[in-house]
Amino acid sequence: SGERFSCSRRRWTLAPEYTIREFRPVDAGNFPEFAALGIDKMTVPMPAFTACCGYEPIACAGIVPVRPGIGEAWAMFRQPMNGHRIYLARAVRDGLEQLFAQGQFRRIQAIITVGRPDLIRWMAFLGFEREGTLRAYGIHGDDCLMYARIRES
């Protein structure tokens, strides 16, 4: 909750206060994707987390265990992002590091839609590598890309 001085505007601006907490079912109400995808907010697999700016949820993400040592990442973001991208990218990267350090996962994979260069950059920043194309895999039959990150030994 520090402050920073903006020289160009010659005024004080408050830096946003961000927090990460465990996902709560009530958080799903802030993300229409839950209902659109038919996800039961009461059965969201753990680990799952919510990022807040002040008291307002701005993103939620988690890992669905696929089998021992392997998880599939998911994330939902409030739109528009309004300058939260850098914070969220760093928070997710740090969270992945912690999950790998805890030893629960040796592989975390993520599936993104083809034609989203912003998500491709996001995957690269998080340390994921592209593994291949999943033809007609998306909800509407669109192609998707499989990315994975492997825990370093």
Side-chain angles (χ1 to χ4, degrees):
S1 63
E3 296 183 11
R4 64 178 180 203
F5 182 73
S6 172
C7 295
S8 61
R9 295 186 199 147
R10 303 244 188 257
R11 65 185 177 97
W12 289 93
T13 57
L14 293 176
E17 176 136 352
Y18 293 105
T19 56
I20 301 285
R21 61 175 165 74
E22 191 169 295
F23 176 85
R24 301 175 190 153
V26 69
D27 295 336
N30 294 287
F31 303 94
E33 295 90 343
F34 276 95
L37 295 172
I39 299 170
D40 180 0
K41 64 184 178 185
M42 300 305 287
T43 60
V44 171
M46 294 296 171
F49 305 93
T50 301
C52 297
C53 180
Y55 296 104
E56 179 184 1
I58 56 172
C60 57
I63 308 291
V64 177
V66 177
R67 58 181 181 262
I70 299 175
E72 189 160 298
W74 62 272
M76 295 182 189
F77 304 97
R78 291 280 297 271
Q79 296 297 330
M81 292 299 294
N82 293 335
H84 302 301
R85 291 179 194 270
I86 293 171
Y87 163 74
L88 290 172
R90 290 178 180 159
V92 171
R93 184 183 60 195
D94 293 347
L96 287 168
E97 294 295 334
Q98 290 176 11
L99 287 171
F100 279 127
Q102 293 169 0
Q104 184 178 357
F105 298 102
R106 70 176 179 276
R107 172 191 171 90
I108 296 177
Q109 58 195 35
I111 298 170
I112 65 171
T113 305
V114 167
R116 293 285 309 271
D118 57 328
L119 294 179
I120 292 171
R121 287 190 305 273
W122 170 265
M123 291 287 101
F125 177 81
L126 297 176
F128 283 75
E129 294 181 18
R130 182 176 169 180
E131 292 190 329
T133 302
L134 304 172
R135 301 277 178 216
Y137 187 85
I139 294 172
H140 303 290
D142 43 342
D143 292 347
C144 293
L145 303 173
M146 171 68 81
Y147 280 79
R149 181 170 169 184
I150 309 300
R151 179 179 66 215
E152 297 176 13
S153 300

PDB file of all heavy atoms in Angstrom, residues 1 10 12 17 19 24 68 77 79 110 122 130:
ATOM      1  N   SER A   1       0.830  -1.185   0.000  1.00  0.00           N
ATOM      2  CA  SER A   1       0.000   0.000   0.000  1.00  0.00           C
ATOM      3  C   SER A   1       0.874   1.247   0.000  1.00  0.00           C
ATOM      4  O   SER A   1       0.602   2.198   0.699  1.00  0.00           O
ATOM      5  CB  SER A   1      -0.961  -0.022   1.180  1.00  0.00           C
ATOM      6  OG  SER A   1      -0.204   0.000   2.380  1.00  0.00           O
ATOM      7  N   ARG A  10       2.566  15.600 -12.024  1.00  0.00           N
ATOM      8  CA  ARG A  10       2.806  16.453 -10.874  1.00  0.00           C
ATOM      9  C   ARG A  10       1.742  16.296  -9.790  1.00  0.00           C
ATOM     10  O   ARG A  10       1.239  17.261  -9.251  1.00  0.00           O
ATOM     11  CB  ARG A  10       2.891  17.918 -11.292  1.00  0.00           C
ATOM     12  CG  ARG A  10       3.926  18.190 -12.321  1.00  0.00           C
ATOM     13  CD  ARG A  10       4.987  19.102 -11.747  1.00  0.00           C
ATOM     14  NE  ARG A  10       5.894  19.533 -12.767  1.00  0.00           N
ATOM     15  CZ  ARG A  10       7.109  19.023 -12.914  1.00  0.00           C
ATOM     16  NH1 ARG A  10       7.532  18.079 -12.140  1.00  0.00           N
ATOM     17  NH2 ARG A  10       7.901  19.481 -13.850  1.00  0.00           N
ATOM     18  N   TRP A  12       0.233  13.130  -6.705  1.00  0.00           N
ATOM     19  CA  TRP A  12       0.411  11.828  -6.064  1.00  0.00           C
ATOM     20  C   TRP A  12      -0.682  10.892  -6.545  1.00  0.00           C
ATOM     21  O   TRP A  12      -1.836  11.267  -6.635  1.00  0.00           O
ATOM     22  CB  TRP A  12       0.319  11.957  -4.541  1.00  0.00           C
ATOM     23  CG  TRP A  12       1.485  12.651  -3.960  1.00  0.00           C
ATOM     24  CD1 TRP A  12       1.614  13.984  -3.700  1.00  0.00           C
ATOM     25  CD2 TRP A  12       2.718  12.060  -3.598  1.00  0.00           C
ATOM     26  NE1 TRP A  12       2.846  14.268  -3.189  1.00  0.00           N
ATOM     27  CE2 TRP A  12       3.549  13.097  -3.107  1.00  0.00           C
ATOM     28  CE3 TRP A  12       3.221  10.764  -3.622  1.00  0.00           C
ATOM     29  CZ2 TRP A  12       4.835  12.873  -2.657  1.00  0.00           C
ATOM     30  CZ3 TRP A  12       4.500  10.548  -3.169  1.00  0.00           C
ATOM     31  CH2 TRP A  12       5.297  11.584  -2.699  1.00  0.00           C
ATOM     32  N   GLU A  17      -3.688  -1.808  -4.238  1.00  0.00           N
ATOM     33  CA  GLU A  17      -3.367  -2.823  -3.245  1.00  0.00           C
ATOM     34  C   GLU A  17      -3.901  -4.163  -3.742  1.00  0.00           C
ATOM     35  O   GLU A  17      -5.110  -4.342  -3.888  1.00  0.00           O
ATOM     36  CB  GLU A  17      -4.000  -2.489  -1.901  1.00  0.00           C
ATOM     37  CG  GLU A  17      -3.768  -3.572  -0.897  1.00  0.00           C
ATOM     38  CD  GLU A  17      -3.380  -3.033   0.456  1.00  0.00           C
ATOM     39  OE1 GLU A  17      -3.144  -1.837   0.586  1.00  0.00           O
ATOM     40  OE2 GLU A  17      -3.331  -3.848   1.366  1.00  0.00           O
ATOM     41  N   THR A  19      -4.076  -8.428  -3.506  1.00  0.00           N
ATOM     42  CA  THR A  19      -3.962  -9.576  -2.602  1.00  0.00           C
ATOM     43  C   THR A  19      -4.325 -10.839  -3.368  1.00  0.00           C
ATOM     44  O   THR A  19      -5.072 -10.797  -4.340  1.00  0.00           O
ATOM     45  CB  THR A  19      -4.894  -9.452  -1.377  1.00  0.00           C
ATOM     46  OG1 THR A  19      -6.237  -9.265  -1.840  1.00  0.00           O
ATOM     47  CG2 THR A  19      -4.503  -8.294  -0.494  1.00  0.00           C
ATOM     48  N   ARG A  24     -13.037 -18.652  -3.295  1.00  0.00           N
ATOM     49  CA  ARG A  24     -14.292 -18.879  -2.568  1.00  0.00           C
ATOM     50  C   ARG A  24     -15.414 -18.994  -3.590  1.00  0.00           C
ATOM     51  O   ARG A  24     -15.417 -18.261  -4.586  1.00  0.00           O
ATOM     52  CB  ARG A  24     -14.589 -17.709  -1.634  1.00  0.00           C
ATOM     53  CG  ARG A  24     -13.527 -17.453  -0.613  1.00  0.00           C
ATOM     54  CD  ARG A  24     -13.864 -16.201   0.183  1.00  0.00           C
ATOM     55  NE  ARG A  24     -12.729 -15.825   1.005  1.00  0.00           N
ATOM     56  CZ  ARG A  24     -12.481 -14.597   1.396  1.00  0.00           C
ATOM     57  NH1 ARG A  24     -13.292 -13.608   1.073  1.00  0.00           N
ATOM     58  NH2 ARG A  24     -11.431 -14.339   2.149  1.00  0.00           N
ATOM     59  N   PRO A  68      -1.892 -38.200 -10.767  1.00  0.00           N
ATOM     60  CA  PRO A  68      -0.803 -37.853  -9.848  1.00  0.00           C
ATOM     61  C   PRO A  68       0.362 -37.152 -10.554  1.00  0.00           C
ATOM     62  O   PRO A  68       0.875 -37.636 -11.559  1.00  0.00           O
ATOM     63  CB  PRO A  68      -0.377 -39.210  -9.281  1.00  0.00           C
ATOM     64  CG  PRO A  68      -1.625 -40.038  -9.341  1.00  0.00           C
ATOM     65  CD  PRO A  68      -2.304 -39.604 -10.631  1.00  0.00           C
ATOM     66  N   PHE A  77     -10.379 -13.956 -16.164  1.00  0.00           N
ATOM     67  CA  PHE A  77     -10.005 -12.577 -15.876  1.00  0.00           C
ATOM     68  C   PHE A  77     -11.190 -11.651 -16.058  1.00  0.00           C
ATOM     69  O   PHE A  77     -11.975 -11.840 -16.985  1.00  0.00           O
ATOM     70  CB  PHE A  77      -8.869 -12.127 -16.802  1.00  0.00           C
ATOM     71  CG  PHE A  77      -7.671 -13.016 -16.733  1.00  0.00           C
ATOM     72  CD1 PHE A  77      -7.479 -14.023 -17.663  1.00  0.00           C
ATOM     73  CD2 PHE A  77      -6.741 -12.854 -15.727  1.00  0.00           C
ATOM     74  CE1 PHE A  77      -6.377 -14.862 -17.601  1.00  0.00           C
ATOM     75  CE2 PHE A  77      -5.631 -13.690 -15.653  1.00  0.00           C
ATOM     76  CZ  PHE A  77      -5.454 -14.687 -16.588  1.00  0.00           C
ATOM     77  N   GLN A  79     -12.875  -8.351 -17.338  1.00  0.00           N
ATOM     78  CA  GLN A  79     -12.615  -7.486 -18.490  1.00  0.00           C
ATOM     79  C   GLN A  79     -13.240  -6.133 -18.227  1.00  0.00           C
ATOM     80  O   GLN A  79     -14.329  -6.073 -17.693  1.00  0.00           O
ATOM     81  CB  GLN A  79     -13.202  -8.096 -19.754  1.00  0.00           C
ATOM     82  CG  GLN A  79     -12.569  -9.401 -20.151  1.00  0.00           C
ATOM     83  CD  GLN A  79     -11.105  -9.273 -20.498  1.00  0.00           C
ATOM     84  OE1 GLN A  79     -10.657  -8.240 -20.971  1.00  0.00           O
ATOM     85  NE2 GLN A  79     -10.345 -10.305 -20.238  1.00  0.00           N
ATOM     86  N   ALA A 110      -1.564 -26.302 -20.015  1.00  0.00           N
ATOM     87  CA  ALA A 110      -2.611 -25.313 -20.257  1.00  0.00           C
ATOM     88  C   ALA A 110      -3.002 -25.362 -21.722  1.00  0.00           C
ATOM     89  O   ALA A 110      -2.164 -25.608 -22.587  1.00  0.00           O
ATOM     90  CB  ALA A 110      -2.125 -23.918 -19.892  1.00  0.00           C
ATOM     91  N   TRP A 122       1.730 -14.665 -22.880  1.00  0.00           N
ATOM     92  CA  TRP A 122       1.469 -15.004 -21.478  1.00  0.00           C
ATOM     93  C   TRP A 122       2.088 -16.359 -21.141  1.00  0.00           C
ATOM     94  O   TRP A 122       2.765 -16.508 -20.135  1.00  0.00           O
ATOM     95  CB  TRP A 122      -0.046 -14.994 -21.274  1.00  0.00           C
ATOM     96  CG  TRP A 122      -0.580 -15.524 -19.991  1.00  0.00           C
ATOM     97  CD1 TRP A 122      -1.021 -16.804 -19.759  1.00  0.00           C
ATOM     98  CD2 TRP A 122      -0.762 -14.829 -18.762  1.00  0.00           C
ATOM     99  NE1 TRP A 122      -1.464 -16.913 -18.473  1.00  0.00           N
ATOM    100  CE2 TRP A 122      -1.323 -15.724 -17.842  1.00  0.00           C
ATOM    101  CE3 TRP A 122      -0.519 -13.514 -18.368  1.00  0.00           C
ATOM    102  CZ2 TRP A 122      -1.638 -15.358 -16.539  1.00  0.00           C
ATOM    103  CZ3 TRP A 122      -0.840 -13.159 -17.071  1.00  0.00           C
ATOM    104  CH2 TRP A 122      -1.384 -14.075 -16.179  1.00  0.00           C
ATOM    105  N   ARG A 130       5.194 -24.672 -26.001  1.00  0.00           N
ATOM    106  CA  ARG A 130       4.145 -25.220 -26.867  1.00  0.00           C
ATOM    107  C   ARG A 130       4.461 -26.662 -27.212  1.00  0.00           C
ATOM    108  O   ARG A 130       5.576 -26.990 -27.598  1.00  0.00           O
ATOM    109  CB  ARG A 130       4.028 -24.382 -28.137  1.00  0.00           C
ATOM    110  CG  ARG A 130       2.939 -24.878 -29.049  1.00  0.00           C
ATOM    111  CD  ARG A 130       2.783 -23.982 -30.241  1.00  0.00           C
ATOM    112  NE  ARG A 130       1.907 -24.633 -31.209  1.00  0.00           N
ATOM    113  CZ  ARG A 130       1.577 -24.114 -32.351  1.00  0.00           C
ATOM    114  NH1 ARG A 130       2.020 -22.920 -32.683  1.00  0.00           N
ATOM    115  NH2 ARG A 130       0.795 -24.770 -33.181  1.00  0.00           N
TER     116      ARG A 130
END
